[in-house]
């Protein structure tokens, strides 16, 4: 209980500042015509400001200035965050080319790794240990860029990226506290409050979007904190962030594979993301889709916590969750309707599920081909 009381100021101060600044961000967006543009893959209607991330970022910086005296590492993180935020904000206002937007992320990743010394120390895999510093740096750059874009990619429904990020940061903060990384836990709490202050305006029906400036900022901070908080061992450094970020990372990987199989560019948007599948193939409402993904994120977050205290139990739970997730992927054709190895194996072994027009898999296959 004492721990909760100690944690509250970091969350509450950043939350209140963010809550106050969000209407101001909306007014600024209206003044400069920074609206989310409707297209064939969007689900919103009307003019909605897309620079709500300004309130989130400013609340975070102000609260950090109040509570935290950053060292060299956190100064590097803050500089990188400013670079990523600025790139996203320019894109929200002027629509940058994807390669230019990625350039901001790459600069931020290289800066924080070089000046902040945030990267993996050692990679232990079965029967092999990789101890080559350039490899650590490369994997760390890929990790930061990948997580940054993964959070941005799931920013397709009202409140989805914000709520998912809050869940992820709560788990990161809890595990960091257990590892006695109090600095990481405090920054995670400040981020939770900063994002939470925007969420009431961003949840369905949204009156503001966080935009690329907000989503990329959240993704970048999560990527850095995950590397910083879990670098005590190689297994923890690699496994925990992957588990905690399962939803956005899985969605991103599936999108890359799906687009490659279709001969599309990786950066080309589509309507086959996880949230689109839940809405258009499963038939969930906008709000229920977001809440469902919150629950899934919480389940994987719980698994990460279980694994911290009992590795075997955590691994068993992870296998179960991943098996369920893969069956869902096959049933809904998120990669391709013809990719269903587990379902095909079950049919060959026990004859179920049977191939029929009213089976969900077959119905999805027909829908995909139409």
């Amino acid at each position: 209980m004492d721990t909760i009381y100690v944690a509250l100021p970091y969350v509450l101060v950043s939350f209140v500042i963010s809550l106050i600044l969000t209407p101001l961000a909306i007014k600024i967006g209206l003044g400069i015509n920074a609206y989310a543009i409707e297209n064939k893959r969007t689900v919103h209607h009307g003019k909605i400001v897309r620079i709500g991330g300004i309130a989130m970022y400013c609340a975070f910086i102000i609260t950090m200035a109040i509570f935290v005296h950053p060292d060299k590492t956190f100064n590097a993180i803050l500089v990188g965050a400013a670079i990523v935020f600025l790139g996203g904000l320019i894109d929200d206002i002027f629509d940058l080319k994807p390669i230019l937007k990625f350039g901001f992320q790459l600069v931020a990743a290289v800066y924080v790794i070089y000046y902040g010394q945030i990267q993996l120390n050692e990679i232990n895999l079965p029967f092999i240990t990789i101890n080559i510093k350039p490899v650590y740096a490369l994997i760390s750059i890929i990790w930061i860029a990948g997580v940054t874009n993964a959070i941005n990619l799931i920013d397709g429904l009202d409140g989805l990226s914000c709520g998912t990020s809050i869940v992820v940061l709560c788990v990161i903060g809890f595990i960091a506290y257990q590892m006695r990384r109090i600095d990481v836990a405090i920054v995670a709490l400040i981020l939770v409050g900063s994002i939470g202050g925007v969420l009431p305006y961003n949840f369905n029906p949204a009156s503001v979007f966080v935009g690329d400036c907000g989503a990329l900022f959240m993704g970048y901070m999560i990527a850095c904190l995950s590397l910083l908080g879990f670098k005590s061992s190689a297994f923890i450094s690699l496994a925990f962030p992957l588990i905690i970020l399962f939803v956005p990372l899985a969605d991103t990987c599936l999108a890359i594979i799906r687009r490659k199989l279709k001969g599309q560019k990786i950066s080309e948007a589509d309507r086959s993301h996880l949230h689109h599948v839940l809405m258009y193939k499963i038939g969930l409402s906008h709000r229920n889709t977001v809440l469902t993904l919150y629950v899934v994120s919480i389940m994987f977050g719980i698994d990460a916590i279980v694994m911290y205290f009992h590795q075997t139990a955590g691994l068993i739970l992870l296998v179960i969750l991943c098996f369920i997730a893969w069956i869902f992927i096959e049933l809904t054709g998120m990669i391709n309707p013809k990719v269903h190895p587990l379902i095909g194996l079950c049919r060959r072994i026990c004859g179920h599920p049977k191939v029929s027009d009213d089976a969900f898999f077959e119905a999805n296959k027909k829908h995909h081909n139409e």
Side-chain angles (χ1 to χ4, degrees):
M1 187 61 70
D2 290 340
T3 303
I4 295 176
Y5 287 132
V6 171
L8 276 177
Y10 304 110
V11 178
L12 288 179
V13 171
S14 57
F15 175 83
V16 171
I17 295 173
S18 181
L19 195 68
I20 293 172
L21 290 179
T22 302
L24 180 60
I26 294 174
K27 288 185 179 180
I28 293 173
L30 292 172
I32 63 175
N33 294 321
Y35 302 118
I37 300 172
E38 290 186 52
N39 54 50
K40 62 182 181 179
R41 72 182 183 89
T42 57
V43 296
H44 76 277
H45 301 287
K47 293 183 176 181
I48 301 179
V49 170
R50 63 174 180 176
I51 56 172
I54 291 178
M56 179 194 306
Y57 177 77
C58 290
F60 172 73
I61 295 298
I62 292 171
T63 311
M64 284 287 290
I66 295 172
F67 290 112
V68 180
H69 300 287
D71 56 13
K72 180 182 177 181
T73 296
F74 277 104
N75 276 327
I77 291 176
L78 293 176
V79 171
I83 294 171
V84 169
F85 171 78
L86 180 62
L89 184 61
I90 294 173
D91 181 61
D92 287 331
I93 298 174
F94 300 108
D95 288 322
L96 286 176
K97 292 182 178 179
I99 188 65
L100 292 177
K101 187 165 58 174
F102 181 74
F104 279 90
Q105 300 164 29
L106 188 60
V107 170
V110 172
Y111 183 90
V112 78
I113 289 170
Y114 183 77
Y115 287 101
Q117 298 298 304
I118 300 175
Q119 64 180 51
L120 298 173
N121 289 325
E122 186 177 273
I123 303 173
N124 292 316
L125 300 173
F127 311 112
I128 186 173
T129 296
I130 301 175
N131 192 17
I132 307 172
K133 288 187 177 181
V135 174
Y136 308 155
L138 179 60
I139 293 176
S140 299
I141 289 172
I142 293 171
W143 174 260
I144 293 173
V147 173
T148 299
N149 282 284
I151 297 298
N152 191 37
L153 281 175
I154 65 168
D155 187 35
L157 295 181
D158 299 350
L160 180 54
S161 64
C162 284
T164 302
S165 295
I166 288 174
V167 172
V168 169
L169 287 165
C170 284
V171 177
I172 288 175
F174 177 80
I175 297 178
Y177 176 78
Q178 295 297 320
M179 293 180 172
R180 299 297 182 263
R181 287 304 308 261
I182 306 303
D183 52 347
V184 175
I186 289 174
V187 175
L189 289 171
I190 292 173
L191 277 167
V192 167
S194 302
I195 299 168
V198 179
L199 187 56
Y201 300 94
N202 182 237
F203 197 71
N204 183 255
S207 56
V208 67
F209 295 147
V210 297
D212 278 9
C213 64
L216 293 175
F217 166 66
M218 288 188 290
Y220 167 83
M221 289 302 302
I222 288 171
C224 290
L225 289 181
S226 64
L227 283 179
L228 193 61
F230 306 137
K231 63 190 297 184
S232 58
S233 75
F235 176 78
I236 290 175
S237 295
L238 291 172
F240 277 8
L242 288 172
I243 297 169
I244 297 168
L245 290 158
F246 178 86
V247 172
L249 290 179
D251 194 36
T252 301
C253 291
L254 291 173
I256 292 172
I257 296 170
R258 180 174 63 249
R259 291 165 189 173
K260 278 294 184 181
L261 290 175
K262 290 182 178 179
Q264 298 175 335
K265 294 181 180 179
I266 293 176
S267 59
E268 187 176 343
D270 59 30
R271 259 197 172 188
S272 297
H273 286 288
L274 180 56
H275 50 275
H276 292 131
V277 169
L278 289 173
M279 284 186 67
Y280 301 120
K281 290 186 178 180
I282 305 300
L284 296 182
S285 67
H286 190 134
R287 180 170 295 194
N288 286 340
T289 296
V290 173
L291 293 175
T292 298
L293 291 175
Y294 285 177
V295 171
V296 176
S297 295
I298 290 171
M299 289 172 65
F300 278 94
I302 291 172
D303 178 51
I305 293 172
V306 171
M307 185 173 290
Y308 175 77
F309 290 105
H310 195 291
Q311 187 170 314
T312 302
L315 285 172
I316 293 172
L317 179 58
L318 178 62
V319 169
I320 294 171
L321 291 175
C322 288
F323 178 79
I324 295 171
W326 182 255
I327 291 297
F328 176 86
I329 290 168
E330 288 193 16
L331 287 172
T332 56
M334 283 189 67
I335 297 177
N336 187 292
K338 296 179 181 179
V339 177
H340 49 93
L342 283 183
I343 292 177
L345 180 63
C346 289
R347 284 174 175 164
R348 287 192 293 272
I349 294 174
C350 60
H352 294 282
K354 294 182 178 180
V355 179
S356 60
D357 289 338
D358 62 344
F360 184 87
F361 174 76
E362 297 300 324
N364 172 66
K365 184 174 179 180
K366 289 175 66 177
H367 171 79
H368 182 85
N369 291 330
E370 288 176 354

